[in-house]
Each structure stands twice: as structure tokens, then as C-alpha cells.
Amino acid sequence: MTAVVEAEPAERFHSVPLRRVVGRVRREGPLGLLDGLGAQANGALVRLNLGPFRPFLVTHPDHLQHILRTRAANYPRGAAMWSALGRLTGQGIGGEGAQWHASREILQTAFSASYLKSMSEQMITSITAAVDDLAARAGTPVDAGVEMTRVVQRVVDPVFFGSLIPDGEGDRLGEAVATAMSSLLWRMAMPFVPHAVPLPGDRPFKRATRTVNDILRPVLAQARQDPRDGRDIVTKLMQGTGADGRPLTDDQICEDIVALFVAGSESSAIALTWIWVGLVQNPHVYAKVRAEVDEVVGDGPLRREHIRELAYTQTVLREVLRIYSVGWAVPRTAAEDDEIDGVRIPAGATLAISPYLTHRLAEFWPDPLRFDPDRFTRENVRNRHPLAYLPFGDGAHQCLGEAFFHQEAALIVAAMMRRFDVGLAGPVEPKLSLTLQPREAVELVLTPRR
Ligand code: HEM
């Protein structure tokens, strides 16, 4: 099949025929295809011709500004991927429209700066305990993905559930949500197949959602009977109201909690894994972070004010998320016909925004593959296009957990660095899945520091 898109000036618009897409995926894998498209387009809009599915790939910050800010109302989520995901996360914070808005209002206060501050001591306790547990495993390689998921889970339990979730159930919930998500891949890839027609992921999806409900329902029942100090997310959702002005139902609360797991837990654990890859592969940066941790934290316990004082570490986290953009694609759908930079966008078209590619545009990121945290000094940030960096999205749906992640990640890096010299047991390659992940398990070697 060849390109059938109307002629456009080559520098503004590239159309990529199906045979080239298939050939490239065969030779270089999905990430090779994405890298190739990015290099070819260099910021121009790209339209992939995949037969009936012809999404636009969007990378230039001006185009992102148009879609996510200026004409955001014309670009709701709406894409096929979201409707499949909706079976798991419902129409609240994971959706669009009035109920999304109601859930967003509730959760926005729940993740506010003052809330984060009030939870920081609890976060420090959870992280310190999780890192202490790792000491028993020092010397032998540990799977970074597994261990970072464990740490994240320990942070999330009290924050989400006010510690009402029984020991071990948080891990089981995380696993069930992850299984449900991966079982949905079939439906996401084939959105045109009616739900009445069975697909391979359907059974594991049903089993996993049953597990999710079995775990969450008793927690909700207990939270209603025994309200805690009201700071946890479940209680906040219980106290909030939906689009109809009435309290959220248990179904809606469960869906929002699952959406938070989907949006937050896995991406955080993967990002934390990439942080160790970025640090170990750039020894001069590692040395600077370690010096900062030693100076700021010293021999005493981690404290809330350290989070702000770990300024260089924060720039490293930003650079890690520039290079390893966990959320490598953010889909949107055009509600009505539009035009971006002279290119016609027909109603119904899918637009795949790719932070991964935007973060590699040489016009905004000189020598884009070089790992350089100084790109995030205040002055450099001020002089850059505001949409050149968007690992947490932008606009109405911008990530609610960005500050949460930065707080958690800085504390985890500091807690680990104080106790261990961290090394990698082998090389690491990225791969594209729903997120940008390491191709194989990343093995960390932890050597206790004297
Ligand atoms: C490194 C970690 C994370 C990354 C890379 C990430 C990335 C993103 C991105 C790109 C979006 C925008 C999606 C869109 O525009 O459609 C998003 C939305 C969201 N994120 Fe995150 N996220 C992270 C961590 C978290 C955490 C820790 C939480 C919560 C605890 C969280 C909660 C959410 C929620 C609720 C939304 C949906 C907001 C809405 O639609 O209004 N995220 N995230």
C-alpha cells in the first residue's frame, strides 16, 4: 500500500506508507521505527498509513501547544486506546467529560503541595524501611523493576489507602491491575472488534478485575465504617461528589483508584529503574548526586526539607525523564476538522503526541542523546519553549502525580545512595510497549557503603 495523502510541502508533512512501516518494524523493532520517523520528520507532522488507521505523529512544541492548550477542547482523549482502557478505569479520572472533571477536582486537592508536605514524613518512613530491607540482598544482583515496584507500593499504600489495605494485598492489587492492563492490549490493538467477539486477553482480564474488586471492596467498606484522619485518597474520594452532585459510588471510587494505579505506579517504578541506568551509565553525574546527598543528608535521618535541598538530584530526575520518556505517546482524537501548521486534520483523526520524540528534537535539545542534567538549570528552562519538555503531559490532563513522583524519587535516590554503591550487572536496552521500558530485567548490584 502506498501513501494516499494529498500532497503537502515536504518539510511540513510526511506521509509514511504501510510497507515502510512494516519493513522498519521487522528490521529494527517498534522503537527503531519511532526513532526513524522522528529523525525523518524532524518536528514536522507525520501521517502513518496503516490501512484504515492513519494516525498523525505530533512532536513539534508549537503543534503540541495548539493541541494541548490553544484548541484543547477540540482534542479530547477519545482515541480507541482510551475506550479499551475505559473498561478498566471507567469514566472518572481515566476518562473525559463531566465525571472526569469531578474526579479531577477531588484528586487535585488530594495531590496538592500542602498534602504532599503533610505526607512527606510517612513517605520517608516507608522508603527508609524498604531500602533497609534491600540491605539483606546486597552483593547479589537484584531486579531493579521488581525492587522499585516494591518501594513504590510501600509509599502508595498509606497515601492511597490510609494503611487500611492488609499487608501484601497492595502488591497483589498492583499485580492484578498490571495483568488487567496487559490483557487489554488485544482490545487496544483491535478496537474495531465488537466486545461480543472474544479475544485472547478477555479471560485474564475478567479474572484480574475480579481480584481487584475482591481486594478493594472490603477496603472501601472498612474506610466507610472507620474513617481515618481523612488524608488518604480513598477517604478524599468518599468525601467528594460526582458530576451529578452526589457522592461517588463504590464503583466509581474503585475505578479512580485503579486509574491511579495504572497512571502512577508502573510508570513510577519504570522511571525509577531508568534513573539507576542513567546514573550508573554517567559516572560523573552519579558522583555529583552522591556528593550532594552526602552534603545535604549527611549521617542523620532523611528529613522533609532535604527534598528541596537536593537541587542537582532534581535536575537529574528531569534529564532521566527527558531521555527515557516512560509515557512515550499520548493519544488524542480530533473532534472537528482543524488545521495545524497548514496541514488539514480531519475530524475523527487520531493524533499520537510523542514526548519521547519531542525530547530528541535538536532544535530544542542540542546534542539530544547526551545525558546532561544542566539542561534543567533555571536559566536553561526559562529560555526553552514551554512545550519542549512534557514527560508528564500538558494541559487539562497534565499528570496529577508529577510533584508526588519528584518527591518520592528524590527520597528514594537519597536513601539508596547513602547506603549503597549502585552498579549495573549488564547492558540495558530500551523497548517500546505501552510505556518505554527496559528490554530485559535491569539487574542492580548494591554494595554497602562504609
Ligand atoms: C514518572 C512517573 C509518571 C509519568 C511519566 C506520568 C506521565 C503521565 C502523563 C504523560 C499523563 C498525561 C496523559 C494524558 O494527557 O492523556 C499523566 C496523567 C496522569 N497521571 Fe501521571 N505520570 C507519572 C506518575 C504519576 C503518579 C505517581 C500518579 C499518581 C499517584 C499519576 C497520576 C496521573 C493521573 C491521575 C493522570 C490523569 C490526569 C487527568 O487525566 O486529568 N501519575 N501522567
Side-chain angles (χ1 to χ4, degrees):
M1 195 179 298
T2 50
V4 286
V5 182
E6 55 273 41
E8 295 282 348
E11 68 279 6
R12 283 216 312 258
F13 184 26
H14 296 273
S15 169
V16 184
L18 182 62
R19 65 185 148 69
R20 200 152 352 123
V21 172
V22 173
R24 211 159 203 165
V25 170
R26 268 210 203 113
R27 280 193 315 276
E28 300 160 39
L31 187 55
L33 170 70
L34 187 68
D35 279 329
L37 292 174
Q40 182 192 348
N42 194 24
L45 282 166
V46 172
R47 190 161 204 192
L48 297 180
N49 190 344
L50 307 177
F53 184 46
R54 296 167 63 205
F56 287 91
L57 187 62
V58 193
T59 56
H60 195 283
D62 287 345
H63 303 164
L64 302 182
Q65 184 148 341
H66 179 93
I67 295 167
L68 295 172
R69 294 190 183 177
T70 320
R71 295 226 52 214
N74 191 48
Y75 294 99
R77 281 180 162 153
M81 175 188 149
W82 290 107
S83 64
L85 202 58
R87 295 179 68 204
L88 181 64
T89 57
Q91 285 311 307
I93 193 63
E96 190 71 87
Q99 188 48 47
W100 161 74
H101 192 259
S103 286
R104 173 120 191 155
E105 294 260 291
I106 301 170
L107 290 168
Q108 212 149 6
T109 9
F111 284 106
S112 65
S114 61
Y115 171 75
L116 276 182
K117 204 167 156 197
S118 75
M119 290 308 283
S120 49
E121 294 304 334
Q122 172 67 62
M123 217 184 229
I124 289 170
T125 308
S126 305
I127 289 169
T128 309
V131 172
D132 283 351
D133 286 353
L134 272 176
R137 321 265 303 282
T140 47
V142 295
D143 182 329
V146 172
E147 297 308 332
M148 291 302 112
T149 303
R150 244 176 227 154
V151 182
V152 167
Q153 208 54 59
R154 249 161 124 158
V155 172
V156 149
D157 280 356
V159 175
F160 281 16
F161 306 112
S163 302
L164 274 177
I165 199 152
D167 271 353
E169 289 290 81
D171 289 350
R172 207 159 73 88
L173 180 60
E175 279 161 26
V177 172
T179 306
M181 268 296 280
S182 53
S183 323
L184 273 181
L185 279 176
W186 289 93
R187 295 258 164 224
M188 287 180 187
M190 290 188 261
F192 41 84
V193 176
H195 284 181
V197 178
L199 283 180
D202 289 354
R203 277 207 193 154
F205 178 80
K206 251 192 203 142
R207 268 199 306 273
T209 44
R210 208 175 305 132
T211 307
V212 168
N213 272 311
D214 289 349
I215 297 170
L216 282 183
R217 299 288 165 159
V219 173
L220 298 199
Q222 205 182 335
R224 285 201 194 282
Q225 254 179 18
D226 171 22
R228 302 288 166 119
D229 58 10
R231 290 189 303 163
D232 61 276
I233 303 290
V234 166
T235 309
K236 297 252 185 228
L237 287 167
M238 280 180 173
Q239 290 166 347
T241 48
D244 54 5
R246 309 219 314 236
L248 299 188
T249 63
D250 278 5
D251 279 350
Q252 287 171 316
I253 295 174
C254 283
E255 285 165 355
D256 276 353
I257 293 287
V258 169
L260 284 174
F261 262 84
V262 169
S265 293
E266 198 196 5
S267 45
S268 297
I270 296 171
L272 282 158
T273 302
W274 284 127
I275 287 171
W276 296 113
V277 175
L279 280 169
V280 176
Q281 289 181 345
N282 294 280
H284 61 293
V285 176
Y286 186 114
K288 272 181 89 170
V289 171
R290 191 162 97 152
E292 184 177 73
V293 170
D294 287 350
E295 193 193 321
V296 169
V297 185
D299 289 334
L302 268 173
R303 289 199 312 271
R304 177 200 289 172
E305 52 278 21
H306 295 150
I307 300 164
R308 195 173 27 88
E309 292 164 13
L310 291 165
Y312 181 71
T313 306
Q314 292 288 357
T315 63
V316 173
L317 302 181
R318 291 196 162 81
E319 179 68 344
V320 167
L321 287 173
R322 180 185 72 83
I323 294 200
Y324 303 104
S325 310
V326 178
W328 64 273
V330 177
R332 290 290 186 269
T333 303
E336 291 174 7
D337 286 356
D338 192 16
E339 193 179 291
I340 301 179
D341 207 3
V343 177
R344 196 178 77 84
I345 309 290
T350 297
L351 297 98
I353 290 164
S354 178
Y356 171 93
L357 290 180
T358 305
H359 296 168
R360 280 167 163 68
L361 289 175
E363 184 187 345
F364 303 94
W365 306 98
D367 195 3
L369 298 184
R370 189 167 48 89
F371 190 91
D372 179 10
D374 290 342
R375 297 180 199 270
F376 292 94
T377 59
R378 247 187 219 160
E379 197 191 350
N380 284 339
V381 171
R382 207 178 311 121
N383 292 333
R384 210 165 23 235
H385 193 302
L387 269 293
Y389 183 67
L390 69 162
F392 295 96
D394 191 83
H397 288 288
Q398 182 160 359
C399 181
L400 280 176
E402 178 172 354
F404 184 92
F405 173 77
H406 271 277
Q407 175 165 316
E408 164 187 63
L411 289 169
I412 292 171
V413 168
M416 294 270 291
M417 285 238 173
R418 292 176 69 209
R419 293 206 61 151
F420 309 114
D421 286 323
V422 183
L424 285 176
V428 181
E429 291 295 327
K431 74 160 188 198
L432 274 197
S433 180
L434 269 182
T435 48
L436 183 78
Q437 315 181 351
R439 183 176 296 282
E440 313 282 349
V442 173
E443 296 204 303
L444 298 182
V445 181
L446 308 176
T447 310
R449 280 181 72 184
R450 270 186 278 161

